[in-house]
């Protein structure tokens, strides 16, 4: 997305409150910037690029939680840039449509300037009268600020004037200042022209709000106009004022007057110079900066005005400091080569300095810099080598001269042998270990080395085998398990399911049907919070106290679950459940059912029952039934599987029911609470199956699909 498209997307926030639009715009720009970051990382890393790792690194750099970033991305994909609006505006909560009118009633009915907490208490009473859920105090403040109503809740009380002849008790009645409503600015004498211009600009911004005849609607409109457009305090200096700053300016002006609008420009005071100070100019040598400590010591020692006690203590401390850093000072001393390099040696070292080997380049550069009397720190910075390595190279050069730096080039025979090793190792790798007398199903570095040394006279080590395979491109990877379907009509059946789902009409319902269980009534294990090294134990062999089996149907649009307890997965069980489903949804015109390829689902008895229901539907009795079968071995497409999985983690794992009835009650309560939740928070069943962009059959070859 280019810059013009970014501006077009941000333009959709113009009609939103400023305090919300700023945060949504910031989140949108972070998402756009992340796309560019991922593209650069993918181009730089190539096959080693991992999207999740790159997003985590990007979130760490920008101080964002990865979970929060993924949530922003999901809202943006589903609702666009408006989905990034914070708080109640984004989630579609009824606060804005139901709570805001009650707040406006409080502002119109009661006297203004009563304070936020007093207004929140009145809102609590009104919510109770209207049967509306009360928001928390933070949400109330966001609503008030977003709508420009903060000025109606700020504290300001008139001064109470006692009657003549009556004196009030000042200890019980605190003094309250009267609201400041100026007739004219009351200019102060401001000598700083820049400060005066800024104060005048602030005064012009808040002046319209000082009119007592201005009603609430006009204030809100005026407030929005001022916070959205640019203002000019000084020539060429444009700025926008935030809602919080505008509220603060109005409140400060009412409380303190024009003086509150004048910015405070502090000037640095000149320090007084006394005659008992001595000013000395020191020159610091970049090659030996710590040598200046010795000059300071001599100045203090020779200065006549410094008291003897102070002089002795200062000299002693400087001597201790200089002696403690002698090793560090040595790094600043110029080095040298004895005897100096000859022209032939310099030419040889220059050739190595420009050669292909990094190691020999650094060695040659060290000797050449030492010959030019460079310091140890300069050599360390240039070669990026530690102090011990530099000393070792200089000592070897002193003993061997240029012999220690001669490159040891591999002969052509050695290069050919390396290439033959790679070919032999790959040939062994492509064969089975059993052919070489090794009782393993896969190769490892020790077994490859063993087979190579048995087969060839050229002995190699495990490190040589590992380096050879790494240069070729081999690496260790774990096999990945995937769900696949070998149904020859896989694509046609999936296209049919998606077409029905994405084209449901009013009066039609789509059901995912499957059986669950049997679940034995025994002590179950599972994941749980434990303290320290405590481990929950479950007996391996248990005598079951019963079993529970059920059949369920998940309605795709309303996400409602219908279930029944069964004893088996036979034909009669399927017919009974279809009759129950047909009666429960009798008001619908058509029911679509999708299930797996179980033999009882394809029985003649079930087909006859469906034909009878369709015949009754043509006569106006109940809905018609249409079966939309799933491909073979494609349980990953049946959304109800995830519902059963969540139920099992919630009420079956970590359980120890004594009776089958106890487990049935727990499972029923789980489904009832789930149905109640999705009635209050409508959401379609399935996470990606409704979206063609995410459910891409070309990308998901063979039906590889993990999460619905």
């Amino acid at each position: 997305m280019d810059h013009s498209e970014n501006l077009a997307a941000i333009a959709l926030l113009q009609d939103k409150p400023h305090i919300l639009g700023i945060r949504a715009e910031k989140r949108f720009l972070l998402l756009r910037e992340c796309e560019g970051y991922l593209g650069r990382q993918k181009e730089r890393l190539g096959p080693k690029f991992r999207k999740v790792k790159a997003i985590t690194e990007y979130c760490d750099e920008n101080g964002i939680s990865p979970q929060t970033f993924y949530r922003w991305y999901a809202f943006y994909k589903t609702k666009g840039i408006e989905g990034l609006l914070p708080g109640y505006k984004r989630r579609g909560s009824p606060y804005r449509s139901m709570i805001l009118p009650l707040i406006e009633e409080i502002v119109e009915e009661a006297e203004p300037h009563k304070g936020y907490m007093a207004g929140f208490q009145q809102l609590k009473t009104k919510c109770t009268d209207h049967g509306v859920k009360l928001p928390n105090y933070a949400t109330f403040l966001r609503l008030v600020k977003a709508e420009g109503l903060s000025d109606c809740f700020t504290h300001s009380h008139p001064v109470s004037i006692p009657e003549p002849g009556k004196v009030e008790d000042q200890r019980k009645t605190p003094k309250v200042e009267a609201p400041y409503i100026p007739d004219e600015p009351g200019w102060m004498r401001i000598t700083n022209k820049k400060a005066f211009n800024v104060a005048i600009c602030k005064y012009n911004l808040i002046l319209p709000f000082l009119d007592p005849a201005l009603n609430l609607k006009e204030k809100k409109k005026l407030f929005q106009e001022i916070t959205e457009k640019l203002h000019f305090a000084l020539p060429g200096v444009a700025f926008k004022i935030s809602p919080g700053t505008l509220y603060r300016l109005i409140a400060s002006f009412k409380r303190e007057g024009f003086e509150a609008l004048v910015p405070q420009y502090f000037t640095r005071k000149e320090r007084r110079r006394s005659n008992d100070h001595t000013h000395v100019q020191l020159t610091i040598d970049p090659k030996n900066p710590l040598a200046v400590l010795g000059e300071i010591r001599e100045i203090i020692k020779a200065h006549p005005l410094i008291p003897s006690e102070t002089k002795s203590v200062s000299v002693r401390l400087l001597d201790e400091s200089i002696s403690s850093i002698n090793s560090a000072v040595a790094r600043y001393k110029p080095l040298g080569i004895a005897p100096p390099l000859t022209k032939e040696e310099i030419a040889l070292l220059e050739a190595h300095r420009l050669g292909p080997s990094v190691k020999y380049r650094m060695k040659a550069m060290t000797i050449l810099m030492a010959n030019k009397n460079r310091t140890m720190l300069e050599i360390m910075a240039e070669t990026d080598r530690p102090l011990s390595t530099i000393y070792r190279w200089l000592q070897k050069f002193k003993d061997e001269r240029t012999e220690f730096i001669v490159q040891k080039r591999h002969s052509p025979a050695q290069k050919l042998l390396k290439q033959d090793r790679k070919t032999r190792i790959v040939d062994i790798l492509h064969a089975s270990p059993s052919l070489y007398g090794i009782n393993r199903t896969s190769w490892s570095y020790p077994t490859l080395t063993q087979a190579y040394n048995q087969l060839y006279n050229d002995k190699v080590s495990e490190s040589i085998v590992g380096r050879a395979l790494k240069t070729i491109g081999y690496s260790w990877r774990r096999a990945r398990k995937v769900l696949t379907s070998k149904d020859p009509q896989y694509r046609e059946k999936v296209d049919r399911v998606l077409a029905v789902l994405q084209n449901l009409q009013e009066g039609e319902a789509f059901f995912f049907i499957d059986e669950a269980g049997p679940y034995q009534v025994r002590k179950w294990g599972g994941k749980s919070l434990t303290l320290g090294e405590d481990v929950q134990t479950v007996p391996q062999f248990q005598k079951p106290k019963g079993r529970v089996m059920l059949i369920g149907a998940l309605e795709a649009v309303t996400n409602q679950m219908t279930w029944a307890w069964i004893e088996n997965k036979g034909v009669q069980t399927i017919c009974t459940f279809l009759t129950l489903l047909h009666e429960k949804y009798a008001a619908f015109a058509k029911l679509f059912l999708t299930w797996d390829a179980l033999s009882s689902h394809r029985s003649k008895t079930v087909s006859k029952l469906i034909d009878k229901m369709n015949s009754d539907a043509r006569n106006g009795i109940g809905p018609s039934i249409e079966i939309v079968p799933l491909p073979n071995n494609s349980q990953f497409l049946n959304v109800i599987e995830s519902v059963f999985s969540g139920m099992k983690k919630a009420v079956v794992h970590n359980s120890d029911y004594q009776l089958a009835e106890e487990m049935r009650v727990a499972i029923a309560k789980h489904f009832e609470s789930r149905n109640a939740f999705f009635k209050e928070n409508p959401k379609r069943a399935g996470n990606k199956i409704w979206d063609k962009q995410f459910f891409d059959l070309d990308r998901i070859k063979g039906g590889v699909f993990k999460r619905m």
Side-chain angles (χ1 to χ4, degrees), residues 589-623:
K590 191 172 186 179
L591 304 180
F592 293 95
L593 310 180
T594 183
W595 48 33
D596 53 24
L598 192 66
S599 59
S600 58
H601 296 165
R602 297 179 281 107
S603 66
K604 294 182 180 180
T605 305
V606 173
S607 300
K608 289 180 181 179
L609 177 62
I610 293 175
D611 293 340
K612 181 179 180 302
M613 291 178 178
N614 290 337
S615 176
D616 294 341
R618 287 190 290 270
N619 297 327
I621 303 175

Side-chain angles (χ1 to χ4, degrees), residues 373-401:
N373 301 115
R374 297 292 184 88
T375 63
M376 180 62 72
L377 280 182
E378 290 178 325
I379 298 176
M380 292 169 60
E382 189 69 24
T383 59
D384 195 21
R385 294 297 186 272
L387 182 68
S388 58
T389 302
I390 302 296
Y391 275 128
R392 187 176 71 252
W393 287 350
L394 292 174
Q395 186 63 36
K396 282 189 175 182
F397 182 80
K398 182 179 179 181
D399 298 337
E400 305 175 14
R401 302 296 287 184

Side-chain angles (χ1 to χ4, degrees), residues 494-545:
V494 172
D495 287 340
R496 173 60 179 159
V497 172
L498 294 178
V500 173
L501 271 173
Q502 294 162 358
N503 296 281
L504 284 177
Q505 305 296 325
E506 187 176 356
E508 297 178 350
F510 190 99
F511 295 92
F512 298 96
I513 299 178
D514 199 9
E515 298 82 8
Y519 302 125
Q520 291 185 354
V521 181
R522 57 178 176 81
K523 186 175 182 179
W524 285 74
K527 187 183 296 186
S528 62
L529 290 173
T530 56
L531 179 62
E533 298 182 356
D534 294 343
V535 179
Q536 183 182 4
T537 58
V538 178
Q540 182 177 0
F541 301 102
Q542 301 182 53
K543 184 177 181 181
K545 306 159 190 169

